[in-house]
Amino acid sequence: MTVAQLVGYWRAELPALDPRLSVSVEQGAAYERMRQRERCWPDPRAFIDLAWSEDERNVVVEHLRTGTLVNQYRGLSPCRFCGCHNGSAELSDGTFCWPEGLAHYLDAHAVRLPEEFVQHALSASLVQPHLPSPEFDHLGQRDRSWPGTELRGLLWTPEPPAEEYGPDVDLDPTWWLMQIGSREIR
């Protein structure tokens, strides 16, 4: 089984639970657990780096866009800055796993991921041939026919699943939960 480090999951500002709503004790507890879990993710504003080299950023963006599809979800993720749709899947390179729309944050909002990930993506680009960029639709979802059979052998491939659903990839959030970015958010 592959264990991949999560990267690029962001804090979502969730509204406080309105005490006038009629919810069961179980529903209220589940909602509060969700709020607490969301607070653990880093704030994307702390990762903005307007001085980041465009050439280096472009290499990292391409690395993110060409990951292997490992999980597909039913809901769309909104960008925490502009609200645009940001896909509904997770991609991986076998070492890291990220949301399908993570490249959007780097490309559109000058977010710079931690140096460990940047160096990983840059070193991967040195050994991997340049791949054609996949297309993304208005929902931020990558063309599901990409990479096609001619490119499939050039990408990391997970082990066959132990069960009938999806690749056998275990996700570890530990490293990402410790990231704080390079700027202090007030």
Side-chain angles (χ1 to χ4, degrees):
M1 173 179 293
T2 300
V3 177
Q5 297 292 326
L6 287 181
V7 63
Y9 286 82
W10 306 116
R11 174 179 304 173
E13 298 303 324
L14 298 172
L17 185 59
D18 186 337
R20 297 171 296 176
L21 293 177
S22 173
V23 296
S24 70
V25 172
E26 293 82 15
Q27 289 171 317
Y31 184 85
E32 188 55 33
R33 282 193 304 275
M34 181 180 73
R35 285 179 51 78
Q36 293 303 319
R37 186 176 63 243
E38 287 291 334
R39 285 185 184 153
C40 295
W41 295 125
D43 187 324
R45 297 173 297 169
F47 292 80
I48 294 172
D49 182 356
L50 298 174
W52 190 17
S53 155
E54 187 176 344
D55 290 340
E56 189 175 270
R57 180 174 52 228
N58 289 338
V59 171
V60 177
V61 165
E62 283 307 306
H63 181 80
L64 291 170
R65 288 182 175 153
T66 58
T68 298
L69 179 68
V70 293
N71 289 310
Q72 178 66 57
Y73 298 101
R74 295 178 81 177
L76 293 168
S77 175
C79 172
R80 302 307 193 267
F81 292 108
C82 66
C84 76
H85 294 304
N86 243 343
S88 60
E90 286 177 324
L91 307 176
S92 181
D93 60 12
T95 302
F96 289 93
C97 184
W98 57 89
E100 182 172 36
L102 182 57
H104 166 81
Y105 286 89
L106 282 65
D107 198 33
H109 304 295
V111 166
R112 181 182 182 141
L113 296 173
E115 195 60 24
E116 183 178 342
F117 182 85
V118 170
Q119 290 307 313
H120 169 76
L122 293 174
S123 64
S125 75
L126 296 175
V127 297
Q128 185 178 46
H130 180 72
L131 299 171
S133 293
E135 298 289 323
F136 287 78
D137 66 17
H138 68 285
L139 298 176
Q141 297 177 311
R142 186 173 74 184
D143 175 5
R144 298 297 184 236
S145 68
W146 192 92
T149 55
E150 68 280 359
L151 299 177
R152 202 172 302 274
L154 299 174
L155 299 173
W156 168 78
T157 305
E159 298 173 23
E163 299 178 15
E164 65 180 283
Y165 301 105
D168 210 358
V169 177
D170 193 19
L171 305 176
D172 181 358
T174 310
W175 175 81
W176 183 241
L177 288 170
M178 294 186 311
Q179 304 305 310
I180 58 172
S182 60
R183 298 178 348 138
E184 184 177 329
I185 301 300
R186 297 172 201 13

